[in-house]
Amino acid sequence: MKQRQLTWLSDAEWARIEPLLPRGRKGAHRVDDRRVISGIVHMLKSGARWRDCPPEYGPYTTIYNRFNRWSRQGIWLGMFEALTGHNGIWGTVALDATHIKAHRSAGGAKGGPSQAIGISRGGRTSKLHGLTDAQGRPRLLMVSAGNINDMTMAGAVIEKAAGRFDRLIADRGYDTNAIRAAITAQGAQVVIPSTASRRAPIPYDRDAYKARNLVERLWCRLKDWRRIATRYDKLARNFLAAALIPAAITYWCN
């Protein structure tokens, strides 16, 4: 295995991540953080089973336990929010969602439907919902069952992003009075084309709408990571963490 493939994270990327790692915790001294996190990154990219993790990264149990424990403790989310400047003003954002096929190994977790796997005509699926800024960088990611309508989750996404955007772009699938009202309540401009069912189409900024493709590009880049393109994780929080890590590395560590 080549050294670049082994470490995955460049010196510049590691310099952004290392200061965000938890420090001063009780318990046994952690093994090499860079090696273990590189092992996690490798597994997310390759889509392999955790037990098939190359031994150069250390025991696969160490790699998985670190990923799972930090997911449970919210550390991956905290790192993502620290890198993105979660509390700042985002300006223009684009909203969209994408389906993720759930592998059979993703089933069987305690909690059943609460683990964000739904059954529809497309089989067992989950969805990622996201907001990107005007540069196409992910600012917010959420997960739901695949049979949950995008409009149903839009309110939760908008609420979580409250006060951080001044214009929201979305396709006509989000054209409901409730979603428009939620955006307007934030003091933001609505850039959503009207559906054919509206008797009186609502005008929108067509030039601004051209930026909606940025969120589509986000899904394409995240799905280059095979554990994102197909969901293998039983727990919804672990699948979300598996999306937050590549989102942070791809867009915010360079």
Side-chain angles (χ1 to χ4, degrees):
M1 183 179 294
K2 296 179 181 179
Q3 184 66 17
R4 181 64 181 93
Q5 290 178 315
L6 177 62
T7 59
W8 285 108
L9 298 170
S10 67
D11 291 341
E13 290 167 342
W14 183 245
R16 296 292 306 278
I17 292 175
E18 186 177 24
L20 304 175
L21 302 181
R23 303 293 183 191
R25 294 193 164 197
K26 296 181 180 180
H29 178 72
R30 291 202 308 263
V31 297
D32 187 347
D33 283 327
R34 187 170 184 177
R35 188 192 72 201
V36 172
I37 293 176
S38 291
I40 293 170
V41 170
H42 174 84
M43 300 308 292
L44 298 181
K45 279 183 173 289
S46 69
R49 301 180 304 171
W50 290 102
R51 66 175 58 252
D52 294 329
C53 181
E56 290 85 349
Y57 295 115
Y60 81 88
T61 51
T62 299
I63 306 302
Y64 174 74
N65 288 341
R66 178 79 63 86
F67 171 75
N68 179 53
R69 184 171 62 252
W70 283 12
S71 166
R72 183 177 65 249
Q73 295 171 351
I75 291 173
W76 300 120
L77 176 60
M79 290 172 60
F80 176 79
E81 292 182 344
L83 288 167
T84 61
H86 187 71
N87 294 324
I89 301 301
W90 303 343
T92 296
V93 297
L95 169 66
D96 200 13
T98 187
H99 275 92
I100 308 291
K101 187 74 173 179
H103 191 269
R104 64 182 178 84
S105 64
K110 294 181 180 179
S114 66
Q115 297 305 324
I117 297 178
I119 301 176
S120 62
R121 287 182 297 177
R124 295 160 57 84
T125 58
S126 296
K127 274 186 182 178
L128 283 174
H129 306 262
L131 282 180
T132 62
D133 60 20
Q135 295 177 263
R137 300 174 300 184
R139 292 285 188 166
L140 192 155
L141 292 173
M142 298 180 70
V143 64
S144 76
N147 56 357
I148 299 296
N149 192 287
D150 293 354
M151 294 181 292
T152 303
M153 282 295 294
V157 175
I158 292 168
E159 181 180 359
K160 191 168 183 180
R164 302 190 184 97
F165 62 92
D166 53 33
R167 178 164 59 186
L168 189 146
I169 304 170
D171 64 30
R172 56 174 42 90
Y174 293 92
D175 178 28
T176 69
N177 292 335
I179 292 175
R180 289 179 179 273
I183 298 169
T184 302
Q186 303 296 331
Q189 176 188 359
V190 180
V191 183
I192 301 176
S194 298
T195 60
S197 61
R198 280 196 183 272
R199 294 183 178 180
I202 301 173
Y204 67 99
D205 189 329
R206 293 179 179 271
D207 289 332
Y209 186 71
K210 294 177 182 178
R212 198 190 70 81
N213 71 88
L214 292 173
V215 72
E216 300 286 356
R217 296 182 196 178
L218 167 68
W219 303 136
C220 289
R221 293 193 70 181
L222 288 187
K223 287 182 178 182
D224 284 339
W225 298 58
R226 299 186 68 182
R227 290 191 76 94
I228 312 304
T230 302
R231 175 176 170 175
Y232 298 99
D233 294 291
K234 293 180 184 294
L235 301 179
R237 61 170 171 79
N238 280 358
F239 179 63
L240 179 59
L244 292 171
I245 293 169
I249 292 171
T250 303
Y251 288 92
W252 293 99
C253 290
N254 298 298

